[in-house]
Amino acid sequence: MPLIDTEFATFCCDDQGPRGGTPVLLIHGWPDDASTWDAVVPRLNAAGLRTIVPTLRGFGATRLKGEGPRTGNSAVLALDMIALMDALGLDRFMVAGHDWGSNTAEALAVGWPDRVERMAMLCTPPRLGGMKTPSFAQAERQWYHWFMATARGADAVRADRRGFARTHWNNWSPPGWYDEQTFDRVARAWENPDWVDVTLHSYRARWNEAKPDPRSQWLEDKVRATRTLSLPTLYVQGAVDGVNPPETSADVADKFSGPFARVVLSGVGHFAQREHPDAVARHLLNLFTGDPTTLTSTTDHSLYVRRAVPLLASVGMAALVGAGVSRRREKDDR
C-alpha cells in the first residue's frame, strides 16, 4: 500500500475506485487489519465510490513519528483520520468503521459534522453520552479490558500478542469462520512495534485507567457531551457476536435523530465484513448510494440462504440419483 505522510504519523493507505467518486473512509478494528475490507471494496468501487482504507496507528506499516507516548483512544484515532483525509485533499466524505473503527467513525461525526455525510458503525455500539459501567454479563465478555488494565495482563499480551488475539478470533465469531492462512497474514500487522502500547492505551483510556492523548481531550469530552447525532447512520449487528451480542445494541436507535437502520445479520459474529462481505457491502451501498430516508431496520438471513443453496442442491441431486436407481431397479425387476 502507498504511504501517506501527516504531521504525527505516516499511514499505509489503500486508495481505490474512481477519483471523482464520493470518498468512503473504511476504518478497520482490533485485532484485525486493513485487509478486513478486501471483499467489500470492489463492490463499492463498482458502484462508483472511491474507497480510502488506512492502516491504523500501531498496525502494519503505519508508523508514528517522534518518541512520545503511543496512544490509541478513539478520539486520537479520529484526529489521525482527519489528518489523513486532509493530506489526500478530501473535505467531505462518508465513513464506515468496524470495532475500533466504529467508535472512530462516531468521533469523526461528532468532531466534524460538516465533513462526515453518512456513517456506518459495525459491531461496536456508540459511546455518545459517555460509557456506562457494563453489566456483569457484558463485563465477563469484556474480560480482556480488565486483564489489560493490570501489569501482569500487559506483560502477558507483550509476551504473546498472537495468542491473545487468537482468543478473540475464536470467541467472538462462530467456529470455523477463519482459516490459518488468513490469521497468519493478518497477525503480521500486529508485529508493529507500537501495537501493544497502542492496544493497552486504547482499552485503559476508555475506563479512565489512562488519560486520553492530550491532543484529543477536547474530542473525547465532546463525544461524552453529545447525546444524539442526526446524520444518516447504519448500525450492523452480528446475531451471534460473542463480545457485543444483540442486546448491547438494542437501544442504539435512541442515539440517532436522523435516518437510521439497525441491520442484524443472522449467523454472523463480530467480524461481519469478513464473515459475510456480500451482505455488508449490500447494506453499505444502500446507505451510501440510496435515499437515506428509506433506511429500515431489518434482520438479514442471507447467510443462511447462501449456505442452504448448495445443501439443497446436493439433496436434490441425491434425490434425482436415487430416483434413477429406483427406476432402473423397477425396470430390472420387470
Side-chain angles (χ1 to χ4, degrees):
M1 287 187 187
L3 297 177
I4 307 295
D5 195 50
T6 68
E7 182 179 0
F8 294 99
T10 300
F11 291 96
C12 186
C13 181
D14 190 33
D15 184 349
Q16 298 288 335
R19 299 300 88 181
T22 300
V24 176
L25 177 63
L26 300 173
I27 311 173
H28 71 81
W30 181 98
D32 207 342
D33 75 349
S35 71
T36 198
W37 301 107
D38 280 0
V40 173
V41 163
R43 294 163 172 83
L44 302 189
N45 295 157
L49 299 172
R50 177 180 176 182
T51 52
I52 312 299
V53 185
T55 295
L56 293 176
R57 59 166 59 200
F59 294 76
T62 290
R63 292 292 184 270
L64 290 168
K65 297 180 179 180
E67 301 300 325
R70 276 25 192 169
T71 53
N73 56 293
S74 295
V76 80
L77 298 182
L79 291 177
D80 284 348
M81 295 299 98
I82 281 294
L84 175 67
M85 299 305 272
D86 287 345
L88 292 170
L90 299 173
D91 182 35
R92 293 178 63 80
F93 56 93
M94 300 183 287
V95 61
H98 171 253
D99 192 80
W100 281 19
S102 178
N103 297 126
T104 303
E106 168 192 28
L108 286 168
V110 169
W112 295 271
D114 57 330
R115 297 184 65 173
V116 181
E117 297 178 344
R118 303 182 188 188
M119 175 176 69
M121 303 181 71
L122 280 67
C123 307
T124 298
R127 299 175 187 165
L128 297 173
M131 292 181 67
K132 298 179 180 179
T133 301
S135 66
F136 291 138
Q138 186 61 16
E140 183 178 15
R141 298 181 194 104
Q142 294 177 331
W143 64 269
Y144 59 100
H145 291 217
W146 329 119
F147 184 71
M148 285 189 283
T150 68
R152 285 192 175 188
D155 288 343
V157 175
R158 292 186 191 282
D160 186 9
R161 60 186 71 187
R162 287 172 63 107
F164 184 60
R166 185 186 289 276
T167 298
H168 309 311
W169 278 45
N170 289 342
N171 292 342
W172 292 356
S173 291
W177 77 270
Y178 71 92
D179 57 44
E180 285 302 311
Q181 183 178 9
T182 299
F183 182 83
D184 287 342
R185 184 181 67 251
V186 175
R188 288 196 287 271
W190 313 328
E191 295 170 3
N192 183 300
D194 296 326
W195 188 81
V196 172
D197 287 336
V198 169
T199 293
L200 294 174
H201 182 265
S202 173
Y203 287 100
R204 290 175 173 180
R206 66 189 69 183
W207 301 113
N208 300 324
E209 296 298 328
K211 293 183 178 180
D213 188 295
R215 289 194 301 120
S216 69
Q217 185 65 63
W218 69 271
L219 185 52
E220 292 284 350
D221 293 342
K222 193 169 183 179
V223 171
R224 280 195 296 272
T226 301
R227 301 295 176 179
T228 60
L229 289 171
S230 61
L231 80 168
T233 300
L234 168 70
Y235 187 87
V236 175
Q237 171 69 59
V240 288
D241 189 324
V243 66
N244 290 321
E247 58 262 34
T248 63
S249 67
D251 60 353
V252 162
D254 296 340
K255 302 286 187 179
F256 298 94
S257 58
F260 174 83
R262 175 177 177 262
V263 173
V264 179
L265 301 180
S266 295
V268 172
H270 186 68
F271 297 89
Q273 67 285 352
R274 286 193 181 275
E275 297 172 57
H276 197 3
D278 290 346
V280 169
R282 176 163 32 86
H283 291 292
L284 289 181
L285 285 172
N286 186 46
L287 170 69
F288 293 147
T289 66
D291 179 354
T293 63
T294 65
L295 286 173
T296 304
S297 295
T298 187
T299 297
D300 184 327
H301 299 291
S302 59
L303 182 63
Y304 287 145
V305 172
R306 187 179 71 179
R307 289 172 177 170
V309 167
L311 176 61
L312 292 173
S314 64
V315 170
M317 182 61 69
L320 289 173
V321 171
V325 170
S326 178
R327 283 194 293 271
R328 284 197 297 272
R329 286 176 176 170
E330 291 175 359
K331 185 176 180 179
D332 292 341
D333 289 343
R334 291 197 296 270

